[in-house]
Amino acid sequence: MILHELIDYETLRIIWWLLLGVLLIGFAVTDGFDLGVGTLLPFVAKTDTERRIAINSIGATWEGNQVWLILGGGAIFAAWPPLYAVSFSGFYLAMFAILFALILRPVAFKYRSKRDSAGWKAGWDWALFVGGFVPSLIFGVAVGNVLQGVPFRFDDDMRIYYEGSFFALLNPYALLCGLLSVAMLVMHGAAWLLVKTDGVVAKRARRFGIVAALAVMVLFALGGLFLWIDIDGYRIANAIDVAGPSNPLLKTVEHSAGAWLGNYDSHPWMMIAPALGFVGAAAALLAMLSRREVTVLLFSKLAIFGIISTVGVSMFPFILPSSLDPRSSLTVWDASSSHLTLFIMLVVAVIFLPIVLAYTAWVYRVLWGKVDEATVNDKGGHAY
């Protein structure tokens, strides 16, 4: 038997669908609080010292946290080539805006303290806000558009045609999802500040975190309600070869109301995902009210896990539906790389992903502790 045939093609496709979810959730629960702190910066920190405390709460780990975004992009490129081709070309301007915002962040970190000027520092502080808010919003807007379907199609030669525009992405449901994403990451950023800071910064972070947790529950409920009554979903109408070739045009797809809720009827256990989203946000809210620091962060992570997982299980097996030609929609069964490619990538992931996780855990353990005024004023340290 050839080595890669030890795991059948169908199973490998499922594994890589799960791994893609793991990488996206990993990015949200690590770099997510960096984005949240950046978004909160103008509101939780009023003086230069307070801003430096907030900035240095993420200053030691933000670079490492971005590894998850790189891994997610790499996994899409290697495991789901059609998904990479459609999304990175169709969402080009949106991704350029994210890239611009993410580039602002390291520049702001490095240059903020280069001049002792209030105007200079204030400008870079707003750059950090943009670097946190814009990606948080656009990631959610992208998910909202994916749930509605993306205007692309394949011709008979499998050439991709995208017929959307940047401003069409900013539709009401997508903006609702964008606001949910912002609220979710602001809640997460506030939870991080509660763990890493004391005093007035933590006090303000708690106040904004409570509002954000409430917003998460309300917006998550509204998103589900509109998905049920107003957003048409997709379902595969014919039998499909789950181990067949990666050709989206070999299936028939129906576009119908309530289709995104079909998986919950067929597999009620999937209701665990949205339940965790609500429970995590509610528990984070209660933990903030009761001033429990570490549990706030854990519950915030639980909410993120539940909310992102809800999108995945609602859409399965779809990963990028097409509103222009439903038959061209990309699914787990017809948008993957070859059997051998997925197997080789799995071997690499099994070797290196535990190393990344172990190193990340070690870094957080070593750098654990609160950031205070003495920390940022220590001339012998590396504080921003």
Side-chain angles (χ1 to χ4, degrees):
M1 177 183 291
I2 301 175
L3 187 60
H4 72 271
E5 293 180 352
L6 291 173
I7 305 178
D8 61 71
Y9 202 7
E10 175 188 358
T11 303
L12 279 171
R13 283 168 160 166
I14 291 290
I15 289 173
W16 273 103
W17 175 77
L18 291 171
L19 281 175
L20 180 59
V22 168
L23 294 174
L24 294 177
I25 292 170
F27 170 69
V29 301
T30 55
D31 206 34
F33 61 70
D34 298 332
L35 299 176
V37 170
T39 304
L40 283 169
L41 184 61
F43 310 103
V44 300
K46 303 301 182 182
T47 68
D48 181 61
T49 298
E50 291 171 2
R51 293 190 186 104
R52 292 187 66 207
I53 289 172
I55 291 169
N56 281 279
S57 71
I58 58 174
T61 55
W62 70 268
E63 289 179 290
N65 292 338
Q66 290 196 137
V67 167
W68 294 98
L69 179 62
I70 297 169
L71 289 175
I76 293 173
F77 173 78
W80 312 100
L83 173 62
Y84 182 89
V86 174
S87 60
F88 278 67
S89 57
F91 294 160
Y92 181 81
L93 290 178
M95 291 192 174
F96 185 83
I98 291 174
L99 182 62
F100 175 77
L102 291 178
I103 289 173
L104 274 181
R105 187 168 58 169
V107 176
F109 274 123
K110 300 300 182 183
Y111 281 89
R112 183 187 185 277
S113 298
K114 295 299 183 182
R115 291 179 57 187
D116 190 16
S117 164
W120 173 269
K121 292 179 179 180
W124 289 118
D125 289 340
W126 281 107
L128 287 171
F129 168 78
V130 171
F133 176 78
V134 170
S136 300
L137 179 68
I138 295 180
F139 284 136
V141 167
V143 171
N145 279 281
V146 169
L147 285 168
Q148 295 174 91
V150 178
F152 74 93
R153 63 181 175 85
F154 292 99
D155 67 10
D156 291 336
D157 295 319
M158 294 301 294
R159 290 177 297 187
I160 301 169
Y161 294 87
Y162 180 84
E163 300 185 15
S165 66
F166 174 77
F167 291 104
L169 299 175
L170 305 177
N171 57 77
Y173 185 74
L175 289 173
L176 173 64
C177 293
L179 291 176
L180 171 59
S181 176
V182 171
M184 180 178 74
L185 297 184
V186 165
M187 175 185 70
H188 200 41
W192 179 254
L193 287 173
L194 287 174
V195 171
K196 292 291 289 183
T197 67
D198 278 323
V200 67
V201 173
K203 182 179 179 180
R204 293 183 186 129
R206 178 177 290 107
R207 186 165 65 246
F208 283 102
I210 289 170
V211 174
L214 288 170
V216 167
M217 290 185 284
V218 172
L219 292 170
F220 191 35
L222 287 174
L225 180 63
F226 283 116
L227 199 66
W228 174 40
I229 65 175
D230 191 52
I231 305 299
D232 291 344
Y234 297 76
R235 62 165 59 94
I236 298 175
N238 64 317
I240 186 171
D241 184 0
V242 296
S246 289
N247 185 344
L249 300 181
L250 298 179
K251 65 180 180 299
T252 302
V253 174
E254 293 179 348
H255 190 206
S256 59
W260 284 148
L261 304 180
N263 282 340
Y264 299 107
D265 290 332
S266 304
H267 309 285
W269 62 266
M270 289 185 175
M271 289 296 297
I272 294 173
L276 289 178
F278 284 112
V279 169
L285 172 62
L286 293 176
M288 288 182 190
L289 290 171
S290 59
R291 302 175 185 273
R292 302 191 179 198
E293 297 175 352
V294 176
T295 53
V296 171
L297 189 62
L298 294 176
F299 288 134
S300 178
K301 291 179 180 180
L302 182 64
I304 290 173
F305 174 83
I307 290 169
I308 296 177
S309 297
T310 297
V311 177
V313 300
S314 298
M315 292 179 55
F316 185 84
F318 291 88
I319 51 179
L320 190 66
S322 169
S323 60
L324 196 62
D325 175 23
R327 187 181 61 145
S328 296
S329 299
L330 303 179
T331 73
V332 172
W333 313 127
D334 57 24
S336 73
S337 293
S338 69
H339 191 170
L340 178 60
T341 299
L342 294 182
F343 179 79
I344 292 173
M345 288 175 57
L346 180 61
V347 172
V348 173
V350 167
I351 295 172
F352 288 102
L353 193 56
I355 295 174
V356 172
L357 290 170
Y359 177 74
T360 301
W362 177 79
V363 167
Y364 276 91
R365 183 176 181 274
V366 170
L367 298 175
W368 197 252
K370 291 187 180 291
V371 178
D372 53 23
E373 186 174 349
T375 303
V376 300
N377 289 331
D378 181 9
K379 301 299 183 182
H382 300 281
Y384 289 110

